[in-house]
Amino acid sequence: MRTLGRVLSAEIVKMSSRYLWLLILASPAFAVLIGMSQSEEGPISWEFILSVMGAIHGMLFLPILSGLFTALLCRYEHHNGGWKQLLSLPVSRGSVYLSKFIVAAVLLAAVQLLFLVCFLGVGWWREAGGPPPWEMVLPRILGSWLATLPLAALQLAVSQAWSSFAAPLALNVTFTIPNMLVANSTTYGPYYPWVQPLIAMSPYGADGNFGALNLPLESLMIVVLGSFVLFFTAGLLSFRRKAV
Amino acid sequence: MSETIIETKGLLKNYKGRAAVKDLNLNIRKGEIYGFLGPNGAGKTTTIRLLLGLIAPSAGTIEIFGKDLRHEKMNILRKVGSLVESPSYYGHLTAIQNLEAIRRILNVPKSRISEVLDIVSLTGEEKRPVKGFSLGMKQRLGIASALLGNPELLILDEPTNGLDPSGIQEIRDLIKRMPQEHGITVLVSSHLLSEIELMANTVGILHQGSMVYQDSITNLQQRAAGEMRLVVSEPEMALSFVENRGYTGVLQNGTLCFTRMNDTTVAQLVKVLVEKGHAIYRVEERRQSLEEFFLQVVGGVSHD
């Protein structure tokens, strides 16, 4: 694991591609547009702002970005023999795989941070009542980030295995689109990994009654942790045996 | 006897029931330039990927620097520089960024980057994105990457592919300097006999995954020697005349064929023929192509 730091630092050099930074901006920017345009009867509440801004962000952007980031991180290795060169250097395959995952997780965290800033900005601009509701928003930002990690793990697993850039993304979108339906289902919602970021983001937690959106955070995290362990282990095992 | 750098025993790699490499016993000694020769698909690249741990062998063992590759891969790879198949690079990065990414993993001083760029004569181009490089420049960058970590063993797969003649010459000289100046052992593969002949001191020929020939380049040159061909007037008479004078040759379709001979012998042969009154239309040296030599070697193996 001593090589992990070095592999990570090499990863940062390789990432100097402008697309990545644009992707971080995309979802929060879109959320700002929605947050500014939607209106509610009576005074605007922080909960309302989070629910409108977080809906598309949690339902579509977070799952899709998890696939885009991992696909981009593998793309330049698939092209022109990057894996070959990287893996014939003194690095363990485990540290290479882990470093890719860490970079994807950090990029997703950057998206979440920017989303938080945008959320606070929109709330302040639209004069939502009271001070920023830290107890409500911080667990939701963190929770939906954690709920995205299993998806990133699965996407990394398929992106390292398939040299095509589009195939993992197609798989990702295929699983993400049903979110719109699954979110409203109390039967499937709690177990469908792709919808967990949305559930974790929803401000109408335990007291609300909105399909699967009223699950306690604890039970949600069990599904998240379970799918993460499964996807990450499968990906790592496959990468360690990968013929390059 | 100097120390062994690469030793494989009974190396086997199966792909879907077909052996890409079978029963390969390599033995490469320190300071050697080992030429790995074979037509496309003979298993050269597969062997190199096996040596670098990029793929796992189906059977057999690999020892590099006297250590088992399976158990001490990291320690071994730290001292190996490699270029496998077509050059590897990150197209969106400049040459310097490409080398920097590798440098961070190898943990060598930053000054090493300009040193290797200078060695492969890429100085001046280092700030351009590599996707705009010509194949030859990418190849040089690949060699620069291989040299970055001051390796003790250099594994170069078809390093002169895509280079122009002057580039080939340059890389060849560079490879030849490695053992002398830095004590580096080199394994270099090619599908061109002439290429290997000019660089290597030992050669191993692969054919359909098996080693069919392994010997010093001097011995190879003797075995693969070409022949002298003379087209003269009255060839039968000429042949019996020179045979009496101690030359051994044969007559093929009106052409006199002799085994390869040095310049003096050729001059003498021509001289006696001219003095005897034969008209000499053509004197040519015909070198065996790799394919012919292969057929000969492979044929030789199957007769054994």
Side-chain angles (χ1 to χ4, degrees), chain B residues 5-294:
Chain B
I5 296 291
I6 301 181
E7 188 172 28
T8 71
K9 283 185 188 136
L11 201 56
L12 174 78
K13 179 67 189 175
N14 282 323
Y15 278 119
K16 297 184 177 98
R18 194 187 137 266
V21 169
K22 57 190 171 205
D23 196 32
L24 196 66
N25 300 305
L26 271 180
N27 192 315
I28 301 177
R29 286 186 302 278
K30 191 174 168 64
E32 215 170 34
I33 299 183
Y34 187 96
F36 214 24
L37 191 60
N40 298 328
K44 301 187 299 282
T45 300
T46 305
T47 307
I48 286 175
R49 288 161 76 209
L50 285 166
L51 293 176
L52 292 169
L54 292 175
I55 49 176
S58 307
T61 57
I62 300 172
E63 279 191 7
I64 299 180
F65 308 120
K67 296 172 188 156
D68 191 318
L69 183 67
R70 269 172 309 178
H71 303 128
E72 297 192 58
K73 192 162 140 186
M74 298 268 268
N75 289 334
I76 292 170
L77 290 182
R78 195 172 303 279
K79 297 191 280 180
V80 178
S82 63
L83 171 70
V84 186
E85 249 176 330
S86 48
S88 305
Y89 57 90
Y90 301 111
H92 61 294
L93 304 180
T94 67
I96 287 195
Q97 288 169 325
N98 266 278
L99 292 169
E100 174 65 15
I102 298 169
R103 187 200 71 81
R104 292 193 177 190
I105 290 174
L106 294 170
N107 205 15
V108 291
K110 261 201 156 119
S111 58
R112 198 58 200 144
I113 291 182
S114 48
E115 281 171 38
V116 292
L117 280 171
D118 192 47
I119 292 177
V120 300
S121 340
L122 267 183
T123 317
E125 308 284 352
E126 69 267 37
K127 295 206 170 114
R128 270 174 50 197
V130 173
K131 62 181 164 214
F133 276 22
S134 67
L135 181 57
M137 286 162 73
K138 288 172 185 161
Q139 198 80 20
R140 285 159 197 264
L141 178 64
I143 293 171
S145 317
L147 292 172
L148 196 63
N150 294 303
E152 289 175 30
L153 169 64
L154 202 53
I155 297 182
L156 302 173
D157 191 10
E158 308 262 1
T160 52
N161 242 1
L163 294 181
D164 55 26
S166 73
I168 291 177
Q169 176 83 45
E170 227 175 285
I171 296 303
R172 195 188 287 147
D173 291 343
L174 180 70
I175 291 172
K176 283 161 88 172
R177 285 206 317 264
M178 288 295 146
Q180 299 156 11
E181 291 177 14
H182 310 282
I184 300 177
T185 310
V186 185
L187 169 62
V188 56
S189 84
S190 175
H191 59 278
L192 298 172
L193 176 60
S194 55
E195 204 44 60
I196 292 293
E197 218 183 334
L198 289 168
M199 288 188 274
N201 28 50
T202 307
V203 64
I205 299 180
L206 270 188
H207 181 71
Q208 294 177 349
S210 303
M211 184 72 80
V212 290
Y213 183 89
Q214 182 167 235
D215 208 342
S216 73
I217 203 81
T218 336
N219 290 350
L220 171 84
Q221 278 167 336
Q222 276 167 7
R223 262 196 84 166
E227 37 179 33
M228 277 319 286
R229 297 183 156 209
L230 276 78
V231 185
V232 300
S233 59
E234 297 144 284
E236 285 94 352
M237 275 175 62
L239 182 64
S240 58
F241 172 70
V242 293
E243 273 180 341
N244 289 338
R245 296 190 147 233
Y247 296 95
T248 42
V250 285
L251 193 60
Q252 278 178 359
N253 304 327
T255 307
L256 297 180
C257 302
F258 301 91
T259 51
R260 201 168 165 194
M261 45 180 74
N262 62 30
D263 293 352
T264 336
T265 328
V266 177
Q268 276 168 357
L269 177 66
V270 172
K271 191 170 169 230
V272 294
L273 284 171
V274 170
E275 282 169 354
K276 192 76 176 66
H278 290 279
I280 296 185
Y281 307 124
R282 206 160 262 133
V283 179
E284 55 188 19
E285 187 184 38
R286 202 172 152 282
R287 301 223 37 204
Q288 225 178 358
S289 72
L290 182 60
E291 291 75 27
E292 287 171 301
F293 180 67
F294 265 124

Side-chain angles (χ1 to χ4, degrees), chain A residues 2-3 18 30 40 47 72 79 102 121 128 135 141 151 163:
Chain A
R2 252 181 64 238
T3 59
R18 53 193 180 280
F30 197 71
E40 191 185 31
E47 282 80 8
L72 282 170
H79 278 263
I102 290 174
E135 299 95 87
I141 295 284
L151 313 185
S163 55

Side-chain angles (χ1 to χ4, degrees), chain A residues 12-241:
Chain A
I12 290 166
V13 178
K14 291 187 266 181
M15 254 174 34
S16 56
S17 144
R18 53 193 180 280
Y19 308 114
L20 284 173
W21 309 116
L22 284 176
L23 283 175
I24 290 177
L25 300 177
S27 182
F30 197 71
V32 167
L33 281 180
I34 295 180
M36 296 302 284
S37 61
Q38 298 288 313
S39 55
E40 191 185 31
E41 283 177 31
I44 299 261
S45 68
W46 286 103
E47 282 80 8
F48 173 76
I49 290 176
L50 184 60
S51 75
V52 294
M53 287 181 74
I56 297 285
H57 178 66
M59 183 161 64
L60 278 183
F61 279 105
L62 273 181
I64 298 222
L65 282 175
S66 73
L68 264 177
F69 286 144
T70 48
L72 282 170
L73 292 175
C74 291
R75 184 178 152 96
Y76 49 68
E77 307 291 354
H78 285 304
H79 278 263
N80 310 313
W83 291 123
K84 226 168 40 187
Q85 185 170 60
L86 182 55
L87 296 178
S88 50
L89 292 171
V91 292
S92 71
R93 290 199 177 194
S95 60
V96 169
Y97 195 75
L98 192 57
S99 77
K100 292 272 179 204
F101 184 78
I102 290 174
V103 171
V106 167
L107 288 168
L108 288 166
V111 173
Q112 290 297 81
L113 272 181
L114 194 60
F115 180 85
L116 175 65
V117 170
C118 291
F119 165 73
L120 295 173
V122 169
W124 172 77
W125 184 257
R126 299 195 66 181
E127 295 168 347
W134 297 111
E135 299 95 87
M136 180 206 54
V137 69
L138 289 183
R140 285 176 172 78
I141 295 284
L142 181 69
S144 54
W145 177 67
L146 288 173
T148 311
L149 297 184
L151 313 185
L154 176 72
Q155 287 304 127
L156 183 59
V158 289
S159 295
Q160 63 81 19
W162 299 344
S163 55
S164 150
F165 182 65
L169 293 183
L171 179 88
N172 188 19
V173 171
T174 309
F175 281 118
T176 303
I177 294 297
N179 275 356
M180 301 174 191
L181 301 171
V182 179
N184 293 308
S185 157
T186 39
T187 323
Y188 303 109
Y191 307 107
Y192 193 67
W194 284 265
V195 84
Q196 305 306 321
L198 174 64
I199 296 178
M201 184 63 106
S202 165
Y204 304 115
D207 54 331
N209 189 9
F210 198 71
L213 300 192
N214 53 2
L215 282 169
L217 206 62
E218 292 74 25
S219 78
L220 189 141
M221 284 305 144
I222 292 171
V223 173
V224 167
L225 186 68
S227 50
F228 175 75
V229 169
L230 179 71
F231 293 152
F232 190 83
T233 316
L236 181 61
L237 289 179
S238 139
F239 186 68
R240 289 183 64 149
R241 300 182 48 188

